[in-house]
Amino acid sequence: MNTPMIYRRLGRSGLKVSALSFGAWVTFGNQIGDPVAKELMHTAYDAGVNFFDNAEGYAAGKAELVMGDILKKSGWTRSSYVVSSKVFFGVSKRPNETGLSRKHVIEACHAARTRLQVDYLDLYFCHRPDPETPIEETCRAMHDLVSQGHVLYWGTSEWTAAQLTEAYSVCERLGLHGPSMEQPQYNLFNRANLEVNLAPHCSARGLGTTIWSPLASGLLTGKYNDGVPADSRLNTPGLEWLRDRLTGPDVGPQIAAVKALAVIARELGTTLPCLGIAWCLKNPHVSTVILGASRASQLRENLGALDVVPLLTPAVMARIDAISKPVAN
Ligand code: NDP
């Protein structure tokens, strides 16, 4: 990586997030040991990453415990990093310990702060919409957490454009702090939600976006072109559903697209992971792309995506579109 880290505003807010950030899903407290987690966090921070993404549901709270311990011992000033949690999936499945009720939104915030060993969460997401809780109840709970200083910015993840419209109108009507960011999946094979559904909210409301699975859980690295490597995510117990999805019969055209994209990557003198991540960064509605990695060599490679962004000329983008659009959602 030669290009210094770039910082983008989180939508219309004044918060600056590194264009590349780092997340804990699957890996922390699960697929990798704690020393590797520490090496990854320090590699990221040393490269200018200032946003670390987490959730109550990652390894049933263990991912936050591991990250909290690393943050505590890091010596980094609290103002130098942004840390998130997400509420919905819960650590246990007992009644009131999942979802977006006022009770769970508030209790989960305090539990996450305790696990992460921080006084406040910079970003706090509703990890999914909750059909069993009125949006107004969730908005009021989020507003209260922001007003009390426990959360700085609240947002959503995988909410529809219509659900966001309702949240905005509730917040405007009641004078509440509204959502600042949404966390959608966005990559060469999952495009329409951000490009079609969310883009109007980004333009009109200044909604920021923190992108998840920029490499489609590794599919876009080419590592699944010829089966599943033993040491990969798809062999992690509990992720059989993801393995079925990424190795099923429907994935053939996407594997063919990955092979075609590899030709472009080679011509540009880069790698498939860097190409896929740089492509996400080209979208002006993207505030930050959250990287995932199970070893430091992957993370170091992926941070090099910043060098690739200027190589994605309109002509190259058109070739990438021609390959990815026909096989993308
Ligand atoms: P990616 O799609 O980038 O997948 C990351 C995985 O791909 C790595 O763990 C690794 O898997 C493989 N990989 C990455 N780089 C390379 C490389 N250079 N060479 C070979 N393999 C590579 O991102 P994630 O799915 O991890 O998502 C990123 C973050 O987004 C998460 O940590 C989380 O914070 C957030 N997220 C949020 C969700 C939400 O609902 N809001 C859902 C999912 C993620 P392997 O171990 O197999 O090598």
Side-chain angles (χ1 to χ4, degrees):
M1 171 190 172
N2 298 316
T3 310
M5 183 55 69
I6 293 160
Y7 298 88
R8 293 181 173 181
R9 283 171 66 194
L10 182 69
R12 192 177 284 165
S13 81
L15 187 73
K16 309 275 191 323
V17 282
S18 47
L20 298 176
S21 44
F22 184 63
W25 181 54
V26 182
T27 49
F28 282 40
N30 187 7
Q31 186 190 358
I32 61 174
D34 297 356
V36 178
K38 178 179 173 191
E39 187 188 4
L40 287 164
M41 293 266 295
H42 281 261
T43 300
Y45 187 85
D46 290 347
V49 166
N50 76 348
F51 166 38
F52 297 97
D53 186 61
N54 221 318
E56 61 168 357
Y58 294 172
K62 272 192 254 152
E64 291 183 337
L65 286 172
V66 171
M67 189 176 278
D69 194 51
I70 295 166
L71 288 173
K72 184 81 181 170
K73 293 175 181 158
S74 66
W76 306 337
T77 54
R78 180 66 185 87
S79 51
S80 71
Y81 63 85
V82 170
V83 67
S84 73
S85 182
K86 308 187 201 80
V87 54
F88 177 78
F89 289 107
V91 168
S92 96
K93 299 296 175 202
R94 286 187 293 262
N96 296 322
E97 295 185 352
T98 61
L100 298 180
S101 68
R102 178 178 187 81
K103 180 171 172 64
H104 187 57
V105 164
I106 289 174
E107 289 176 348
C109 170
H110 298 317
R113 290 197 300 115
T114 302
R115 285 190 294 268
L116 288 164
Q117 302 188 54
V118 291
D119 292 335
Y120 58 90
L121 300 173
D122 299 275
L123 308 184
Y124 190 40
F125 294 87
C126 301
H127 208 159
R128 290 291 180 273
D130 178 2
E132 297 185 346
T133 302
I135 282 180
E136 180 175 328
E137 177 176 337
T138 303
C139 290
R140 282 187 187 274
M142 285 294 189
H143 169 84
D144 289 345
L145 286 170
V146 173
S147 300
Q148 292 159 4
H150 301 307
V151 166
L152 303 190
Y153 302 88
W154 78 270
T156 57
S157 180
E158 296 294 321
W159 280 33
T160 64
Q163 288 160 337
L164 278 164
T165 299
E166 186 179 344
Y168 277 123
S169 77
V170 164
C171 291
E172 276 161 19
R173 182 164 47 84
L174 300 174
L176 307 177
H177 295 290
S180 297
M181 68 286 173
E182 154 69 25
Q183 186 165 129
Q185 181 175 192
Y186 186 56
N187 55 56
L188 279 158
F189 294 153
N190 292 277
R191 304 180 51 162
N193 187 35
L194 177 58
E195 293 177 5
V196 178
N197 304 336
L198 298 175
H201 281 305
C202 298
S203 302
R205 312 259 190 185
L207 183 70
T209 64
T210 65
I211 299 308
W212 66 265
S213 288
L215 297 175
S217 264
L219 187 61
L220 280 159
T221 67
K223 72 193 309 165
Y224 299 127
N225 284 3
D226 303 305
V228 176
D231 59 352
S232 66
R233 164 178 298 191
L234 295 195
N235 273 326
T236 307
L239 286 184
E240 293 77 12
W241 60 271
L242 188 63
R243 186 189 170 110
D244 290 348
R245 189 183 295 170
L246 294 188
T247 57
D250 298 343
V251 114
Q254 295 189 335
I255 298 276
V258 169
K259 291 177 181 167
L261 290 166
V263 174
I264 299 182
R266 259 196 308 277
E267 283 175 22
L268 296 178
T270 186
T271 64
L272 268 171
C274 288
L275 183 76
I277 293 162
W279 177 87
C280 295
L281 286 171
K282 286 286 285 185
N283 185 324
H285 294 313
V286 168
S287 312
T288 181
V289 175
I290 311 174
L291 304 180
S294 59
R295 59 208 79 168
S297 57
Q298 293 175 347
L299 181 57
R300 278 193 289 270
E301 176 182 347
N302 298 354
L303 289 163
L306 291 175
D307 300 333
V308 179
V309 177
L311 307 180
L312 301 186
T313 60
V316 174
M317 289 294 273
R319 286 175 68 198
I320 293 174
D321 268 358
I323 295 167
S324 72
K325 270 201 167 155
V327 294
N329 300 314

